[in-house]
Every structure is written in C-alpha cells, then in structure tokens.
Amino acid sequence: MTIIRSMRCFLGLGLLLGLPAPLLAQDALVTTARVEERVIVETIDINGSVTAPRTAHLSSDVEGRITALPVSLGDDVQTGDRLLSIDAEEIALQAQSAEADVSEALAARDNARRRLREATRLSEGRNIASNELRQRETDVAIAEATLERRRAERDRLQVGLERHHLRAPFAGRLTHRDVAIGEWAASGTPILTLIDLERLTLDFAVPLDLHHRLSDAEIEVRLPGSDAWLAARPIADVPLEDGASRQFLLRATLDDPPPMLPGMAVQGRLMLSGERRPAVPRDALIRRPDGSVSLWLAREEDGEWHADERRVTTGASHDGQVAIQQGVRAGDRVVLRGNERLEEGQRLTLDDE
C-alpha cells in the first residue's frame, strides 16, 4: 500500500507539472550541443630556469700583485668601471719616459722644419748650396720618422699600463670574487665573475619530437611566488650535446620582465596549435574504469530523440574543449548534462534553451 500510494503521489505531481506520463517513465531530460570543428591548442608543461647568457669570468691580461680592489661581491657596476688594479709602477715610469721622448722628438722635428724653411727662402736668392737644402729636407724626414716611432712606443706603453687595470666589459653584477688586495694575480686565471642582469633568459628542456611544431608555438611562464602566467617570446632553440636525452634547449625572454635572478626555477607551458578536428566540451566525456572514453549522442528517429553511445579517441584539450580524433563528426548532437545514467536507445527529451 505504501508503494502504491507513493506512485500515485509521483504521478499526481507529474500531472500538476504538465508532464506526460511516458516522460516520467522512460524519457531522460538532457542538455545537448552541436559538435563543432575547432583548432585545439595542445598545452605541454615544461620546466626551466632563469639563466644569464651574458656571463663573463674575468681575468687579468698581466700578472702581478693586486694594489686596488674597489668592488665587492654583489656590487652592480657599469661598463668601463675599474674592478681591480695590478702593480704598474715600473711600466708607469717607462710610459713617463716615453712621453718625454715624444716631447724631445717633437721639438727636434719643429727645429728641422724651421731650418728647412730658412733654407728654402735662401735658395730663392741662390744664397745656399743645393746640397745643403737637400740635407735639411732629409733632416725633416728623419725627425718626423723619429717622432712617429717615439709616439708608437709611448702608445704601446700606455696600452700596457692600461692592462694593469681590469675594467667591466658590460654593466652587470659581480657574483664571484676570488682575490683580495695584496694577493698575486696570475695572467689568464679567472678571478671575478660578472653577469648581465638586464638580459636574463628562460631556458627550457623540450622533447625533440616537438621541435617541428615550434613555428607557431606560444609560451607562457610563471615565476616562483606568483600565480600570474606571463607571455614569453621564443628567441632560440639549440640541440643539446647529449643526444641520448632526446631534448633540445628552448630559450625565451620576457619583454617586460619582473625582478629575476639566475638560477630561479620557472614553470612553463608550451601551447601548440593542432589540426582542425571535431571538438566537444569536456562535460560530454565519460571515462570508464577500463580507461576507455565514451560520450552520448542524441539521434533523431521518426521525430523522437534517442541515446546513442560512442567510444571515442580524444586528443588535445584546451579551455574546456577536447579534440576528438575518432568517433564523432561535426554536426553531431552530443549530450552534455543528464548523461550519467543513460541507456542505449533510451528516449530523450532535449532541454537546449
């Protein structure tokens, strides 16, 4: 009696709602959508790090004792700033002597030129022998050659003197200092490390089988401590020397980067455009315990809609849409809601407002 009374209440409620009796017994109320062809963007998660491609391990051109070290570890320097000096007393004296030699040679040349001008005036009145005039011309040539040689020697010593000072080749930050004042610096041995913090890049190891799809790829990155994804710009891809890894180096940069430091770990996602394929909303898919994936189609027969289950092969997914490689076609009507307990051939009522 209780069961019969409950059924009567249920049927009475259906009649009050204006629903026909067959719907209450058999029809399933579902929401559907048409299958559309889309280009689904495939998202590949990649991991990388912040690197400084412009890194210089600096060493001195000459050896000697360090007399000045005006920078400390972590200092920011500008191009041309003096980083250290090596004892240059001896070569400085030589450069001073060479400067005096240049002054002496300059005076000798000027005197030779003066004597030649006098001889030239005298030759106009035939008051000087021709051989004397030629001798003074020779004296001027010798004086000019001597002056050039003295200047070259002075410049050579000035270059040598400058090499006793190590200067920053570019603006950056000192990240390593392996010397102190009074220590001996050997020529060619790295003693300071300078990195360019204005040209940091993001390096990712990417599987080689994706290399041919990079032409239209997009990259987004997320830095530690941030939830924001930033658009990055690929600038280079380089094969790795270790061929067994089956990877290549993808280097990217940010046009307006936030503060970063070399060595930071970076999350990335590589977005690759795929082929144009039928796509369905993710809610339409039903994943079975055996690993298979299916969905329900709404098929119209003789003016009525019926459920039709299809096993499908899925592809890439993006923004709630999943590409279907096999199983449906564009234009099919797929069930989005109400597909949890459908049976094959079951009659459907569509609620597709």
XYZ file of all heavy atoms in Angstrom, residues 6 8-9 33 64 66 104 106 121 171 201 213 225 245 266 298:
113
model
N 2.838 5.981 -2.942
C 3.963 6.806 -3.400
C 3.902 7.004 -4.902
O 4.168 8.079 -5.423
C 5.288 6.147 -3.017
O 5.389 6.024 -1.614
N 1.250 6.928 -6.775
C 0.161 7.848 -7.085
C 0.575 9.299 -6.831
O 0.256 10.193 -7.614
C -1.070 7.481 -6.239
C -1.744 6.194 -6.687
C -2.893 5.853 -5.760
N -3.569 4.645 -6.219
C -4.553 4.064 -5.519
N -4.943 4.585 -4.341
N -5.134 2.967 -6.002
N 1.308 9.519 -5.746
C 1.779 10.889 -5.445
C 2.721 11.375 -6.525
O 2.679 12.519 -6.974
C 2.475 10.919 -4.079
S 1.358 10.642 -2.702
N 24.574 19.751 -27.255
C 25.240 20.802 -28.035
C 25.754 20.176 -29.320
O 26.063 18.975 -29.371
C 26.390 21.421 -27.251
N 100.712 39.963 -11.557
C 101.317 40.871 -10.599
C 100.511 40.924 -9.321
O 99.498 40.231 -9.165
N 98.029 42.566 -6.631
C 96.847 43.430 -6.670
C 97.041 44.587 -5.705
O 97.306 44.387 -4.509
C 95.581 42.631 -6.325
C 95.359 41.535 -7.367
C 94.368 43.534 -6.246
C 94.224 40.596 -7.053
N 110.698 65.457 -26.806
C 112.002 65.750 -27.388
C 111.984 65.593 -28.908
O 112.503 66.453 -29.644
C 113.036 64.809 -26.784
C 114.453 65.037 -27.305
C 115.448 64.077 -26.706
O 115.064 63.291 -25.816
O 116.620 64.110 -27.109
N 109.406 65.810 -30.831
C 108.551 66.847 -31.399
C 109.330 68.148 -31.570
O 109.220 68.837 -32.599
C 107.333 67.058 -30.493
C 106.289 68.087 -30.956
C 105.709 67.695 -32.311
C 105.179 68.227 -29.916
N 113.956 79.801 -48.232
C 113.985 81.235 -48.553
C 115.332 81.630 -49.156
O 115.401 82.404 -50.104
C 113.707 82.053 -47.298
C 112.249 82.030 -46.849
C 111.971 83.136 -45.852
N 112.824 83.044 -44.680
C 112.498 82.374 -43.587
N 111.354 81.710 -43.530
N 113.315 82.335 -42.547
N 77.731 46.322 -18.259
C 77.066 46.604 -16.984
C 76.495 45.306 -16.415
O 75.922 44.494 -17.142
C 75.955 47.631 -17.179
N 67.496 35.255 -19.558
C 66.628 34.456 -20.411
C 66.041 33.299 -19.618
O 66.460 33.006 -18.496
C 67.391 33.907 -21.632
O 68.456 33.070 -21.174
C 67.948 35.046 -22.474
N 57.101 21.637 -34.454
C 55.850 22.367 -34.223
C 56.073 23.726 -33.563
O 55.125 24.366 -33.102
C 54.928 21.516 -33.343
C 54.595 20.160 -33.939
C 53.756 19.326 -33.003
N 52.471 19.965 -32.718
C 51.590 19.481 -31.849
N 51.871 18.355 -31.184
N 50.456 20.100 -31.627
N 56.566 32.185 -6.585
C 55.871 33.151 -5.744
C 54.797 33.933 -6.452
O 54.204 34.844 -5.856
N 69.418 12.293 -24.518
C 68.326 12.894 -23.759
C 67.097 13.130 -24.616
O 66.000 13.314 -24.091
C 68.773 14.220 -23.144
O 69.024 15.187 -24.154
N 61.533 27.982 -13.082
C 60.413 28.599 -13.787
C 59.498 27.506 -14.320
O 59.966 26.516 -14.877
C 60.905 29.476 -14.967
C 59.731 30.119 -15.680
C 61.859 30.534 -14.482
N 22.767 12.337 -29.226
C 21.315 12.356 -29.360
C 20.979 12.190 -30.842
O 21.327 13.052 -31.659
C 20.747 13.662 -28.811
